[in-house]
mmCIF file of all heavy atoms in Angstrom:
data_model
loop_
_atom_site.group_PDB
_atom_site.id
_atom_site.type_symbol
_atom_site.label_atom_id
_atom_site.label_comp_id
_atom_site.label_asym_id
_atom_site.label_seq_id
_atom_site.Cartn_x
_atom_site.Cartn_y
_atom_site.Cartn_z
ATOM 1 N N TYR A 1154 -12.645 -4.011 4.339
ATOM 2 C CA TYR A 1154 -12.685 -5.044 5.370
ATOM 3 C C TYR A 1154 -13.988 -4.932 6.160
ATOM 4 O O TYR A 1154 -14.683 -5.924 6.375
ATOM 5 C CB TYR A 1154 -11.476 -4.895 6.291
ATOM 6 C CG TYR A 1154 -11.383 -5.942 7.378
ATOM 7 C CD1 TYR A 1154 -10.685 -7.119 7.150
ATOM 8 C CD2 TYR A 1154 -11.973 -5.742 8.621
ATOM 9 C CE1 TYR A 1154 -10.583 -8.086 8.147
ATOM 10 C CE2 TYR A 1154 -11.877 -6.694 9.617
ATOM 11 C CZ TYR A 1154 -11.182 -7.859 9.382
ATOM 12 O OH TYR A 1154 -11.088 -8.823 10.365
ATOM 13 N N CYS A 1155 -14.317 -3.726 6.578
ATOM 14 C CA CYS A 1155 -15.525 -3.504 7.366
ATOM 15 C C CYS A 1155 -16.790 -3.785 6.559
ATOM 16 O O CYS A 1155 -17.748 -4.373 7.073
ATOM 17 C CB CYS A 1155 -15.557 -2.078 7.903
ATOM 18 S SG CYS A 1155 -14.277 -1.733 9.132
ATOM 19 N N LYS A 1156 -16.781 -3.376 5.317
ATOM 20 C CA LYS A 1156 -17.951 -3.548 4.450
ATOM 21 C C LYS A 1156 -18.338 -5.015 4.319
ATOM 22 O O LYS A 1156 -19.521 -5.346 4.235
ATOM 23 C CB LYS A 1156 -17.673 -2.951 3.074
ATOM 24 C CG LYS A 1156 -18.878 -2.904 2.171
ATOM 25 C CD LYS A 1156 -18.552 -2.197 0.871
ATOM 26 C CE LYS A 1156 -19.789 -2.005 0.042
ATOM 27 N NZ LYS A 1156 -19.511 -1.247 -1.173
ATOM 28 N N ASP A 1157 -17.340 -5.887 4.315
ATOM 29 C CA ASP A 1157 -17.590 -7.324 4.190
ATOM 30 C C ASP A 1157 -18.097 -7.950 5.487
ATOM 31 O O ASP A 1157 -18.487 -9.113 5.494
ATOM 32 C CB ASP A 1157 -16.315 -8.050 3.754
ATOM 33 C CG ASP A 1157 -15.925 -7.727 2.324
ATOM 34 O OD1 ASP A 1157 -16.787 -7.248 1.552
ATOM 35 O OD2 ASP A 1157 -14.749 -7.951 1.975
ATOM 36 N N ARG A 1158 -18.074 -7.194 6.596
ATOM 37 C CA ARG A 1158 -18.379 -7.778 7.900
ATOM 38 C C ARG A 1158 -19.583 -7.181 8.619
ATOM 39 O O ARG A 1158 -19.931 -7.628 9.701
ATOM 40 C CB ARG A 1158 -17.144 -7.701 8.783
ATOM 41 C CG ARG A 1158 -16.107 -8.717 8.320
ATOM 42 C CD ARG A 1158 -14.717 -8.412 8.825
ATOM 43 N NE ARG A 1158 -13.782 -9.441 8.371
ATOM 44 C CZ ARG A 1158 -13.254 -9.497 7.162
ATOM 45 N NH1 ARG A 1158 -13.551 -8.593 6.258
ATOM 46 N NH2 ARG A 1158 -12.412 -10.462 6.842
ATOM 47 N N VAL A 1159 -20.180 -6.159 8.038
ATOM 48 C CA VAL A 1159 -21.405 -5.587 8.612
ATOM 49 C C VAL A 1159 -22.446 -5.466 7.508
ATOM 50 O O VAL A 1159 -22.112 -5.515 6.322
ATOM 51 C CB VAL A 1159 -21.164 -4.199 9.266
ATOM 52 C CG1 VAL A 1159 -20.213 -4.298 10.424
ATOM 53 C CG2 VAL A 1159 -20.693 -3.175 8.261
ATOM 54 N N ASN A 1160 -23.703 -5.294 7.915
ATOM 55 C CA ASN A 1160 -24.718 -5.163 6.867
ATOM 56 C C ASN A 1160 -24.575 -3.813 6.167
ATOM 57 O O ASN A 1160 -23.950 -2.889 6.683
ATOM 58 C CB ASN A 1160 -26.132 -5.397 7.424
ATOM 59 C CG ASN A 1160 -26.598 -4.312 8.358
ATOM 60 O OD1 ASN A 1160 -26.577 -3.133 8.003
ATOM 61 N ND2 ASN A 1160 -27.038 -4.697 9.546
ATOM 62 N N GLU A 1161 -25.157 -3.742 4.996
ATOM 63 C CA GLU A 1161 -24.991 -2.564 4.135
ATOM 64 C C GLU A 1161 -25.490 -1.278 4.792
ATOM 65 O O GLU A 1161 -24.862 -0.223 4.681
ATOM 66 C CB GLU A 1161 -25.719 -2.799 2.811
ATOM 67 C CG GLU A 1161 -25.543 -1.686 1.817
ATOM 68 C CD GLU A 1161 -26.243 -1.961 0.486
ATOM 69 O OE1 GLU A 1161 -26.838 -3.042 0.322
ATOM 70 O OE2 GLU A 1161 -26.177 -1.076 -0.376
ATOM 71 N N THR A 1162 -26.604 -1.362 5.488
ATOM 72 C CA THR A 1162 -27.163 -0.175 6.142
ATOM 73 C C THR A 1162 -26.215 0.351 7.210
ATOM 74 O O THR A 1162 -25.934 1.551 7.261
ATOM 75 C CB THR A 1162 -28.539 -0.497 6.754
ATOM 76 O OG1 THR A 1162 -29.410 -0.946 5.707
ATOM 77 C CG2 THR A 1162 -29.137 0.723 7.422
ATOM 78 N N ALA A 1163 -25.718 -0.529 8.063
ATOM 79 C CA ALA A 1163 -24.783 -0.117 9.121
ATOM 80 C C ALA A 1163 -23.514 0.469 8.514
ATOM 81 O O ALA A 1163 -23.020 1.504 8.989
ATOM 82 C CB ALA A 1163 -24.453 -1.299 10.022
ATOM 83 N N TYR A 1164 -23.017 -0.167 7.490
ATOM 84 C CA TYR A 1164 -21.810 0.330 6.830
ATOM 85 C C TYR A 1164 -22.032 1.749 6.298
ATOM 86 O O TYR A 1164 -21.226 2.651 6.553
ATOM 87 C CB TYR A 1164 -21.382 -0.606 5.703
ATOM 88 C CG TYR A 1164 -20.221 -0.072 4.912
ATOM 89 C CD1 TYR A 1164 -18.923 -0.192 5.385
ATOM 90 C CD2 TYR A 1164 -20.418 0.578 3.692
ATOM 91 C CE1 TYR A 1164 -17.846 0.321 4.680
ATOM 92 C CE2 TYR A 1164 -19.349 1.096 2.977
ATOM 93 C CZ TYR A 1164 -18.078 0.956 3.472
ATOM 94 O OH TYR A 1164 -17.020 1.482 2.762
ATOM 95 N N ASN A 1165 -23.108 1.943 5.573
ATOM 96 C CA ASN A 1165 -23.379 3.255 4.956
ATOM 97 C C ASN A 1165 -23.693 4.340 5.980
ATOM 98 O O ASN A 1165 -23.290 5.494 5.800
ATOM 99 C CB ASN A 1165 -24.515 3.145 3.941
ATOM 100 C CG ASN A 1165 -24.085 2.416 2.694
ATOM 101 O OD1 ASN A 1165 -22.936 2.472 2.277
ATOM 102 N ND2 ASN A 1165 -25.018 1.706 2.089
ATOM 103 N N LEU A 1166 -24.406 3.982 7.042
ATOM 104 C CA LEU A 1166 -24.788 4.984 8.047
ATOM 105 C C LEU A 1166 -23.654 5.374 8.983
ATOM 106 O O LEU A 1166 -23.539 6.532 9.361
ATOM 107 C CB LEU A 1166 -25.949 4.451 8.901
ATOM 108 C CG LEU A 1166 -27.330 4.542 8.305
ATOM 109 C CD1 LEU A 1166 -28.340 3.845 9.218
ATOM 110 C CD2 LEU A 1166 -27.735 5.988 8.101
ATOM 111 N N TRP A 1167 -22.828 4.403 9.378
ATOM 112 C CA TRP A 1167 -21.888 4.660 10.462
ATOM 113 C C TRP A 1167 -20.427 4.615 10.059
ATOM 114 O O TRP A 1167 -19.643 5.446 10.500
ATOM 115 C CB TRP A 1167 -22.146 3.691 11.612
ATOM 116 C CG TRP A 1167 -23.579 3.666 12.008
ATOM 117 C CD1 TRP A 1167 -24.437 2.605 11.939
ATOM 118 C CD2 TRP A 1167 -24.363 4.763 12.501
ATOM 119 N NE1 TRP A 1167 -25.690 2.971 12.356
ATOM 120 C CE2 TRP A 1167 -25.672 4.289 12.716
ATOM 121 C CE3 TRP A 1167 -24.083 6.097 12.783
ATOM 122 C CZ2 TRP A 1167 -26.685 5.107 13.204
ATOM 123 C CZ3 TRP A 1167 -25.096 6.907 13.268
ATOM 124 C CH2 TRP A 1167 -26.375 6.410 13.474
ATOM 125 N N ILE A 1168 -20.031 3.666 9.251
ATOM 126 C CA ILE A 1168 -18.601 3.483 8.978
ATOM 127 C C ILE A 1168 -18.145 4.287 7.768
ATOM 128 O O ILE A 1168 -17.132 4.980 7.821
ATOM 129 C CB ILE A 1168 -18.279 1.981 8.810
ATOM 130 C CG1 ILE A 1168 -18.597 1.258 10.124
ATOM 131 C CG2 ILE A 1168 -16.830 1.773 8.401
ATOM 132 C CD1 ILE A 1168 -18.516 -0.232 10.069
ATOM 133 N N LYS A 1169 -18.900 4.211 6.707
ATOM 134 C CA LYS A 1169 -18.515 4.888 5.465
ATOM 135 C C LYS A 1169 -18.394 6.405 5.638
ATOM 136 O O LYS A 1169 -17.613 7.054 4.944
ATOM 137 C CB LYS A 1169 -19.530 4.559 4.376
ATOM 138 C CG LYS A 1169 -19.202 5.102 3.020
ATOM 139 C CD LYS A 1169 -20.263 4.682 2.027
ATOM 140 C CE LYS A 1169 -20.017 5.310 0.673
ATOM 141 N NZ LYS A 1169 -21.073 4.928 -0.276
ATOM 142 N N VAL A 1170 -19.150 6.977 6.565
ATOM 143 C CA VAL A 1170 -19.138 8.431 6.753
ATOM 144 C C VAL A 1170 -17.888 8.926 7.482
ATOM 145 O O VAL A 1170 -17.603 10.119 7.486
ATOM 146 C CB VAL A 1170 -20.396 8.929 7.483
ATOM 147 C CG1 VAL A 1170 -21.637 8.612 6.671
ATOM 148 C CG2 VAL A 1170 -20.482 8.385 8.890
ATOM 149 N N ALA A 1171 -17.165 8.022 8.099
ATOM 150 C CA ALA A 1171 -15.932 8.407 8.791
ATOM 151 C C ALA A 1171 -14.865 8.759 7.758
ATOM 152 O O ALA A 1171 -14.775 8.143 6.691
ATOM 153 C CB ALA A 1171 -15.443 7.269 9.673
ATOM 154 N N LYS A 1172 -14.072 9.738 8.082
ATOM 155 C CA LYS A 1172 -12.970 10.155 7.212
ATOM 156 C C LYS A 1172 -11.661 10.010 7.975
ATOM 157 O O LYS A 1172 -11.556 10.423 9.127
ATOM 158 C CB LYS A 1172 -13.130 11.615 6.773
ATOM 159 C CG LYS A 1172 -14.421 11.902 6.050
ATOM 160 C CD LYS A 1172 -14.508 11.163 4.754
ATOM 161 C CE LYS A 1172 -15.826 11.462 4.060
ATOM 162 N NZ LYS A 1172 -16.235 10.453 3.135
ATOM 163 N N PHE A 1173 -10.681 9.422 7.312
ATOM 164 C CA PHE A 1173 -9.356 9.317 7.912
ATOM 165 C C PHE A 1173 -8.748 10.715 7.949
ATOM 166 O O PHE A 1173 -8.653 11.377 6.921
ATOM 167 C CB PHE A 1173 -8.480 8.378 7.083
ATOM 168 C CG PHE A 1173 -7.074 8.271 7.586
ATOM 169 C CD1 PHE A 1173 -6.762 7.405 8.605
ATOM 170 C CD2 PHE A 1173 -6.079 9.072 7.064
ATOM 171 C CE1 PHE A 1173 -5.469 7.317 9.081
ATOM 172 C CE2 PHE A 1173 -4.789 8.999 7.534
ATOM 173 C CZ PHE A 1173 -4.479 8.117 8.546
ATOM 174 N N GLU A 1174 -8.381 11.158 9.136
ATOM 175 C CA GLU A 1174 -7.808 12.491 9.261
ATOM 176 C C GLU A 1174 -6.291 12.444 9.365
ATOM 177 O O GLU A 1174 -5.598 13.139 8.646
ATOM 178 C CB GLU A 1174 -8.398 13.211 10.469
ATOM 179 C CG GLU A 1174 -8.043 14.674 10.475
ATOM 180 C CD GLU A 1174 -8.952 15.465 11.388
ATOM 181 O OE1 GLU A 1174 -10.157 15.529 11.106
ATOM 182 O OE2 GLU A 1174 -8.440 16.000 12.380
ATOM 183 N N LYS A 1175 -5.772 11.620 10.286
ATOM 184 C CA LYS A 1175 -4.317 11.533 10.420
ATOM 185 C C LYS A 1175 -3.928 10.373 11.315
ATOM 186 O O LYS A 1175 -4.763 9.801 12.007
ATOM 187 C CB LYS A 1175 -3.736 12.832 10.971
ATOM 188 C CG LYS A 1175 -4.190 13.183 12.377
ATOM 189 C CD LYS A 1175 -3.613 14.517 12.817
ATOM 190 C CE LYS A 1175 -4.217 14.953 14.143
ATOM 191 N NZ LYS A 1175 -3.687 16.221 14.596
ATOM 192 N N LEU A 1176 -2.668 10.067 11.287
ATOM 193 C CA LEU A 1176 -2.067 9.106 12.192
ATOM 194 C C LEU A 1176 -1.249 9.908 13.182
ATOM 195 O O LEU A 1176 -0.389 10.700 12.792
ATOM 196 C CB LEU A 1176 -1.177 8.133 11.413
ATOM 197 C CG LEU A 1176 -0.538 7.019 12.206
ATOM 198 C CD1 LEU A 1176 -1.600 6.109 12.801
ATOM 199 C CD2 LEU A 1176 0.390 6.205 11.306
ATOM 200 N N GLN A 1177 -1.557 9.753 14.457
ATOM 201 C CA GLN A 1177 -0.874 10.515 15.498
ATOM 202 C C GLN A 1177 -0.264 9.519 16.473
ATOM 203 O O GLN A 1177 -0.985 8.823 17.176
ATOM 204 C CB GLN A 1177 -1.879 11.421 16.208
ATOM 205 C CG GLN A 1177 -1.282 12.333 17.220
ATOM 206 C CD GLN A 1177 -2.338 13.313 17.732
ATOM 207 O OE1 GLN A 1177 -3.310 13.639 17.055
ATOM 208 N NE2 GLN A 1177 -2.141 13.768 18.928
ATOM 209 N N ASN A 1178 1.073 9.474 16.480
ATOM 210 C CA ASN A 1178 1.799 8.432 17.214
ATOM 211 C C ASN A 1178 1.327 7.095 16.659
ATOM 212 O O ASN A 1178 1.488 6.843 15.494
ATOM 213 C CB ASN A 1178 1.630 8.581 18.720
ATOM 214 C CG ASN A 1178 2.133 9.923 19.224
ATOM 215 O OD1 ASN A 1178 3.156 10.412 18.780
ATOM 216 N ND2 ASN A 1178 1.396 10.520 20.138
ATOM 217 N N SER A 1179 0.705 6.264 17.460
ATOM 218 C CA SER A 1179 0.184 5.005 16.915
ATOM 219 C C SER A 1179 -1.341 4.999 16.913
ATOM 220 O O SER A 1179 -1.962 3.949 16.800
ATOM 221 C CB SER A 1179 0.728 3.825 17.721
ATOM 222 O OG SER A 1179 0.303 3.942 19.068
ATOM 223 N N ASP A 1180 -1.952 6.178 17.013
ATOM 224 C CA ASP A 1180 -3.407 6.295 17.013
ATOM 225 C C ASP A 1180 -3.905 6.814 15.670
ATOM 226 O O ASP A 1180 -3.319 7.713 15.084
ATOM 227 C CB ASP A 1180 -3.863 7.274 18.099
ATOM 228 C CG ASP A 1180 -3.553 6.790 19.498
ATOM 229 O OD1 ASP A 1180 -3.600 5.563 19.733
ATOM 230 O OD2 ASP A 1180 -3.253 7.640 20.359
ATOM 231 N N VAL A 1181 -5.003 6.243 15.236
ATOM 232 C CA VAL A 1181 -5.660 6.706 14.023
ATOM 233 C C VAL A 1181 -6.715 7.721 14.434
ATOM 234 O O VAL A 1181 -7.540 7.452 15.310
ATOM 235 C CB VAL A 1181 -6.314 5.533 13.270
ATOM 236 C CG1 VAL A 1181 -7.129 6.025 12.099
ATOM 237 C CG2 VAL A 1181 -5.256 4.537 12.827
ATOM 238 N N ILE A 1182 -6.692 8.880 13.818
ATOM 239 C CA ILE A 1182 -7.668 9.921 14.105
ATOM 240 C C ILE A 1182 -8.667 9.962 12.947
ATOM 241 O O ILE A 1182 -8.292 10.153 11.790
ATOM 242 C CB ILE A 1182 -6.992 11.303 14.259
ATOM 243 C CG1 ILE A 1182 -5.843 11.239 15.266
ATOM 244 C CG2 ILE A 1182 -8.020 12.367 14.607
ATOM 245 C CD1 ILE A 1182 -6.221 10.847 16.656
ATOM 246 N N LEU A 1183 -9.928 9.735 13.296
ATOM 247 C CA LEU A 1183 -11.003 9.774 12.317
ATOM 248 C C LEU A 1183 -11.877 10.986 12.583
ATOM 249 O O LEU A 1183 -12.008 11.438 13.719
ATOM 250 C CB LEU A 1183 -11.864 8.507 12.409
ATOM 251 C CG LEU A 1183 -11.152 7.180 12.165
ATOM 252 C CD1 LEU A 1183 -12.128 6.030 12.378
ATOM 253 C CD2 LEU A 1183 -10.548 7.124 10.781
ATOM 254 N N LYS A 1184 -12.495 11.483 11.529
ATOM 255 C CA LYS A 1184 -13.410 12.615 11.636
ATOM 256 C C LYS A 1184 -14.800 12.123 11.234
ATOM 257 O O LYS A 1184 -14.947 11.396 10.250
ATOM 258 C CB LYS A 1184 -12.952 13.743 10.713
ATOM 259 C CG LYS A 1184 -13.761 14.994 10.839
ATOM 260 C CD LYS A 1184 -13.158 16.099 9.986
ATOM 261 C CE LYS A 1184 -13.966 17.373 10.160
ATOM 262 N NZ LYS A 1184 -13.383 18.460 9.386
ATOM 263 N N PHE A 1185 -15.788 12.540 11.998
ATOM 264 C CA PHE A 1185 -17.167 12.134 11.743
ATOM 265 C C PHE A 1185 -18.025 13.367 11.479
ATOM 266 O O PHE A 1185 -17.755 14.437 12.010
ATOM 267 C CB PHE A 1185 -17.729 11.371 12.955
ATOM 268 C CG PHE A 1185 -17.048 10.063 13.194
ATOM 269 C CD1 PHE A 1185 -15.938 9.982 14.020
ATOM 270 C CD2 PHE A 1185 -17.497 8.914 12.588
ATOM 271 C CE1 PHE A 1185 -15.294 8.779 14.242
ATOM 272 C CE2 PHE A 1185 -16.862 7.706 12.798
ATOM 273 C CZ PHE A 1185 -15.762 7.636 13.629
ATOM 274 N N PRO A 1186 -19.098 13.208 10.695
ATOM 275 C CA PRO A 1186 -19.937 14.361 10.386
ATOM 276 C C PRO A 1186 -20.679 14.900 11.615
ATOM 277 O O PRO A 1186 -20.938 16.095 11.700
ATOM 278 C CB PRO A 1186 -20.912 13.856 9.327
ATOM 279 C CG PRO A 1186 -20.824 12.389 9.351
ATOM 280 C CD PRO A 1186 -19.516 12.022 9.971
ATOM 281 N N LYS A 1187 -21.022 14.026 12.562
ATOM 282 C CA LYS A 1187 -21.755 14.435 13.759
ATOM 283 C C LYS A 1187 -21.279 13.602 14.945
ATOM 284 O O LYS A 1187 -20.832 12.459 14.765
ATOM 285 C CB LYS A 1187 -23.254 14.212 13.579
ATOM 286 C CG LYS A 1187 -23.861 15.049 12.489
ATOM 287 C CD LYS A 1187 -25.342 14.812 12.384
ATOM 288 C CE LYS A 1187 -25.904 15.682 11.255
ATOM 289 N NZ LYS A 1187 -27.308 15.473 11.055
ATOM 290 N N PRO A 1188 -21.409 14.144 16.150
ATOM 291 C CA PRO A 1188 -21.034 13.370 17.341
ATOM 292 C C PRO A 1188 -21.779 12.036 17.441
ATOM 293 O O PRO A 1188 -21.216 11.051 17.924
ATOM 294 C CB PRO A 1188 -21.402 14.297 18.502
ATOM 295 C CG PRO A 1188 -21.312 15.671 17.930
ATOM 296 C CD PRO A 1188 -21.778 15.527 16.501
ATOM 297 N N LEU A 1189 -23.010 11.989 16.978
ATOM 298 C CA LEU A 1189 -23.766 10.739 17.003
ATOM 299 C C LEU A 1189 -23.033 9.637 16.256
ATOM 300 O O LEU A 1189 -22.955 8.495 16.723
ATOM 301 C CB LEU A 1189 -25.165 10.938 16.404
ATOM 302 C CG LEU A 1189 -26.003 9.670 16.270
ATOM 303 C CD1 LEU A 1189 -26.324 9.088 17.637
ATOM 304 C CD2 LEU A 1189 -27.272 9.959 15.489
ATOM 305 N N HIS A 1190 -22.489 9.958 15.089
ATOM 306 C CA HIS A 1190 -21.748 8.969 14.310
ATOM 307 C C HIS A 1190 -20.557 8.444 15.107
ATOM 308 O O HIS A 1190 -20.319 7.242 15.165
ATOM 309 C CB HIS A 1190 -21.266 9.573 12.986
ATOM 310 C CG HIS A 1190 -22.362 9.892 12.043
ATOM 311 N ND1 HIS A 1190 -22.920 11.142 11.985
ATOM 312 C CD2 HIS A 1190 -23.017 9.134 11.137
ATOM 313 C CE1 HIS A 1190 -23.873 11.148 11.065
ATOM 314 N NE2 HIS A 1190 -23.950 9.938 10.544
ATOM 315 N N MET A 1191 -19.812 9.350 15.711
ATOM 316 C CA MET A 1191 -18.655 8.940 16.496
ATOM 317 C C MET A 1191 -19.083 8.058 17.665
ATOM 318 O O MET A 1191 -18.463 7.014 17.911
ATOM 319 C CB MET A 1191 -17.913 10.160 17.027
ATOM 320 C CG MET A 1191 -16.696 9.810 17.843
ATOM 321 S SD MET A 1191 -15.907 11.240 18.591
ATOM 322 C CE MET A 1191 -17.139 11.687 19.819
ATOM 323 N N ASN A 1192 -20.141 8.431 18.349
ATOM 324 C CA ASN A 1192 -20.598 7.655 19.493
ATOM 325 C C ASN A 1192 -21.030 6.252 19.100
ATOM 326 O O ASN A 1192 -20.716 5.283 19.802
ATOM 327 C CB ASN A 1192 -21.740 8.385 20.210
ATOM 328 C CG ASN A 1192 -21.280 9.655 20.880
ATOM 329 O OD1 ASN A 1192 -20.103 9.813 21.214
ATOM 330 N ND2 ASN A 1192 -22.195 10.582 21.069
ATOM 331 N N ILE A 1193 -21.741 6.131 17.993
ATOM 332 C CA ILE A 1193 -22.174 4.808 17.529
ATOM 333 C C ILE A 1193 -20.968 3.962 17.143
ATOM 334 O O ILE A 1193 -20.875 2.788 17.515
ATOM 335 C CB ILE A 1193 -23.159 4.925 16.346
ATOM 336 C CG1 ILE A 1193 -24.453 5.594 16.785
ATOM 337 C CG2 ILE A 1193 -23.416 3.564 15.698
ATOM 338 C CD1 ILE A 1193 -25.288 4.818 17.780
ATOM 339 N N VAL A 1194 -20.040 4.538 16.406
ATOM 340 C CA VAL A 1194 -18.848 3.783 15.995
ATOM 341 C C VAL A 1194 -18.049 3.349 17.222
ATOM 342 O O VAL A 1194 -17.617 2.194 17.310
ATOM 343 C CB VAL A 1194 -17.986 4.593 15.008
ATOM 344 C CG1 VAL A 1194 -16.636 3.942 14.798
ATOM 345 C CG2 VAL A 1194 -18.717 4.723 13.676
ATOM 346 N N LEU A 1195 -17.875 4.240 18.184
ATOM 347 C CA LEU A 1195 -17.122 3.884 19.393
ATOM 348 C C LEU A 1195 -17.820 2.802 20.199
ATOM 349 O O LEU A 1195 -17.159 1.929 20.780
ATOM 350 C CB LEU A 1195 -16.889 5.119 20.261
ATOM 351 C CG LEU A 1195 -15.877 6.116 19.737
ATOM 352 C CD1 LEU A 1195 -15.840 7.351 20.633
ATOM 353 C CD2 LEU A 1195 -14.488 5.494 19.629
#
Side-chain angles (χ1 to χ4, degrees):
Y1154 182 91
C1155 293
K1156 188 175 187 176
D1157 291 341
R1158 287 161 179 79
V1159 297
N1160 69 54
E1161 184 178 358
T1162 301
Y1164 175 80
N1165 288 328
L1166 280 174
W1167 309 117
I1168 298 172
K1169 185 179 175 182
V1170 298
K1172 302 296 179 203
F1173 177 84
E1174 191 162 296
K1175 64 183 172 180
L1176 183 63
Q1177 185 173 334
N1178 300 320
S1179 61
D1180 295 326
V1181 174
I1182 308 299
L1183 300 177
K1184 185 175 182 178
F1185 294 90
K1187 296 181 180 178
L1189 175 65
H1190 292 94
M1191 180 185 70
N1192 292 336
I1193 295 294
V1194 169
L1195 288 175

